[in-house]
Structures are given as C-alpha cells and as structure tokens.
Amino acid sequence: MNWQRTVNNALVRVTGFQLNRVEGPNRQAKADRTPEEEQEPIRPPADPATDRLLTAPIFILSPVRSGSTLLRALLNAHSMLHAPHELHVRRLAVDFGTSLSKRAMEALGHNRADLEHLLWDRVLHRELSRSGKSFIVDKTPANAFAFERVATCWPDARFVFLLRHPASIAKSWHEADPERRTPQEAALDALRYMKAVQRARRALDGLTVRYEDLTENPKRETRRLCDFLGVPWETGMLDYGEQEVLQKGLGDWKDKIRSGSVQPGRDLPASEEIPDVLRPMAVTWDYLAAP
C-alpha cells in the first residue's frame, strides 16, 4: 500500500472524506505523453506512398477491461484481418545518441517523431507480413492517450471505438488486481481511459461498438464491423477458437476468452451501483439518463 493510500484511508476513518486530485482538461492527457512527444512537432508523413508500408491499419480505441481482447479474437478469426496481442508500439522510442546523428537526420528532413513513426510502421508491417493477411488490428488501450499521434502517423487509419458501461469497467479493473487498486482507485484510473476514448470519439471518424451489444448479438455486431472495414463477413468469426497469446499485460487471459466463443456479459449495474465519479460518463455514453 503506497503512502497516498495510507494517508487517504486515515483521513476517511477520521473525517469521512478523502482527497482526490483535480485534473485540468488537458493535464492528464499531457501526463500520459512521453517527454519526446511533448517536445517534438508531430507531423504526417512527407510522402505516404513511400514513407508508410502499412495500408489502412485498424485501431481499437477502448478503456481497459472493455472487451477489447474479445473483439480482437473475433477480428483475428477473419481471413483478412490480423489482430495480435497488445503491441504498445507507441512506446517504442528513437534516440539520436549524438548531436551529430541528430544533425544528420535533420539534414534529411527527419525529427525524432518522424523516425519513430517509421519505426512503428515497420514493426506493424513486419507483423502483418508474417501473418499473410491484408490488414492489421491493434487494440492496445493506451493508444487512446495518443490518438492524435496515431492518426497523424497513419492518415488512412481506421478507428473502432469500443465502449462498455463505466461501472462495469471499473469493477472489472478492480477485480483484475484487487491488491493493486481499491474500487475507488480503479474507478478513477479507468475514468482516465474513458475520457481519452471520448476525446478520440469527438475528434476522429470511426465506428462505435458496445461490449454489451457484442456479447448479446455477436453476429449482428461483427457484420457491422465488417461493413465498416470493407471486408466480407465470415461465419468463422463467431467461433474464434484457441488463442495463442494469453499473457497478463498483453490482453485478457481469463476463462471467458479461453473458451473460444463469445460468452454472455455480466448484468448491467443498477443506477445506485454507479460510483458518483463515473455517473457523468455513464450519461455521456447513454448508459444513464441525464439528471
């Protein structure tokens, strides 16, 4: 237990109140960016035809514990879509090493961000090429914090926004590691991802899918996805089979995912079960009527 939690728990016992950090509208988004992302101008490829190997990559933007591993498995079962485990390419960074190296790259017209974009594109393209499929799908939840950079790196990227009831997300996030985060901490941490996804939804074109709809009617929802992605629907998507990557930190590895087919989702929480901190997002995402 960290010192902040110790102090807050003592405050709750004595006063009944706890302290929460108030974030400005852009503070948390900036906190989730690397120092390099803060310093370097981010720009699209000078020549997409030669600077990018990938064509129309697909990014699932979702909060943690929103069913992205299930969606990944369904899409990966398609003969044209390669959806590997969470790739976290956004955290792959380039270091010039020396000022001379930096000057040499600048003379070629590259800043650090440009070179990182080339690296990201090459890594994803290699993975796609090895699969023998047509399009790659990345479902790393942290990509939501860098949606502007992802969209700038790949101007032809397609985006799928995966939503789930905010209270269900928070409960699942707590249950994933109850020793690491309390229910209140889980709600606040998950809310960071929800806000990032909502910012992306306002800024980007894409398709919104709800986890509850996906588990209730996977056939209908996978058809919608295929229509959006411009690929034919395949019956094999509904029984995606055994998953090769079941490692903590790279996606969900629980029994529901291991089953090889879509399992029913948990019941939606009642209104009184929604933490106060999550109620505004539940309204925004139409899970709760506006007060």
Side-chain angles (χ1 to χ4, degrees):
M1 181 180 294
N2 58 38
W3 69 268
Q4 295 101 325
R5 188 187 301 178
T6 302
V7 171
N8 245 343
N9 287 346
L11 188 64
V12 170
R13 288 196 299 271
V14 174
T15 68
F17 297 95
Q18 70 174 5
L19 297 176
N20 292 316
R21 176 183 296 175
V22 177
E23 304 288 0
N26 298 315
R27 180 173 179 177
Q28 188 59 58
K30 290 183 178 180
D32 284 296
R33 299 180 69 189
T34 65
E36 291 78 10
E37 287 173 331
E38 283 295 309
Q39 296 169 6
E40 294 286 349
I42 307 302
R43 53 200 184 189
D47 185 350
T50 59
D51 290 355
R52 295 294 177 267
L53 298 177
L54 278 181
T55 299
I58 301 156
F59 293 91
I60 299 171
L61 299 184
S62 72
V64 290
R65 311 303 300 179
S66 296
S68 62
T69 300
L70 172 62
L71 181 53
R72 179 201 74 78
L74 293 168
L75 294 177
N76 192 55
H78 194 286
S79 63
M80 296 178 63
L81 305 175
H82 179 51
H85 59 75
E86 295 173 12
L87 297 174
H88 298 274
V89 293
R90 170 223 172 187
R91 291 300 187 182
L92 298 179
V94 168
D95 185 359
F96 288 116
T98 67
S99 60
L100 189 59
S101 174
K102 182 177 182 180
R103 286 171 52 199
M105 291 300 101
E106 288 175 346
L108 295 178
H110 303 311
N111 66 19
R112 187 193 307 269
D114 298 332
L115 295 173
E116 288 175 348
H117 289 173
L118 291 172
L119 172 62
W120 300 354
D121 183 72
R122 184 66 181 88
V123 169
L124 293 186
H125 183 266
R126 179 179 184 272
E127 177 61 25
L128 177 62
S129 296
R130 294 175 67 190
S131 75
K133 295 186 177 184
S134 303
F135 302 104
I136 196 162
V137 181
D138 186 4
K139 52 80 73 183
T140 308
N143 282 342
F145 296 113
F147 72 86
E148 293 167 309
R149 188 162 180 188
V150 170
T152 302
C153 178
W154 292 283
D156 61 347
R158 277 93 51 87
F159 296 94
V160 175
F161 308 108
L162 179 61
L163 309 185
R164 187 183 184 185
H165 195 297
S168 298
I169 292 174
K171 184 175 182 179
S172 181
W173 192 222
H174 166 64
E175 293 172 349
D177 199 341
E179 296 299 320
R180 183 176 180 180
R181 57 185 79 89
T182 67
Q184 176 69 6
E185 289 170 336
L188 289 171
D189 192 34
L191 183 59
R192 294 191 305 114
Y193 287 86
M194 298 179 212
K195 289 180 176 179
V197 170
Q198 185 59 22
R199 287 193 293 269
R201 291 182 72 210
R202 289 196 298 262
L204 303 173
D205 293 329
L207 177 70
T208 295
V209 177
R210 295 179 184 273
Y211 170 77
E212 294 84 3
D213 295 338
L214 188 63
T215 54
E216 180 181 348
N217 196 331
K219 183 176 181 179
R220 181 191 65 205
E221 294 305 301
T222 52
R223 283 186 178 278
R224 287 182 62 228
L225 279 158
C226 288
D227 288 344
F228 171 70
L229 298 175
V231 297
W233 183 76
E234 296 178 357
T235 58
M237 298 176 71
L238 301 181
D239 291 303
Y240 54 82
E242 183 178 354
Q243 294 298 288
E244 296 179 1
V245 180
L246 294 167
Q247 299 180 34
K248 187 174 182 179
L250 298 179
D252 195 340
W253 68 102
K254 299 294 180 64
D255 289 343
K256 278 189 176 182
I257 298 298
R258 291 178 183 271
S259 69
S261 60
V262 180
Q263 301 298 308
R266 70 175 73 195
D267 293 337
L268 290 179
S271 176
E272 60 272 14
E273 297 176 307
I274 305 174
D276 288 343
V277 70
L278 298 180
R279 296 183 78 85
M281 188 59 71
V283 172
T284 298
W285 285 358
D286 294 325
Y287 285 101
L288 183 67

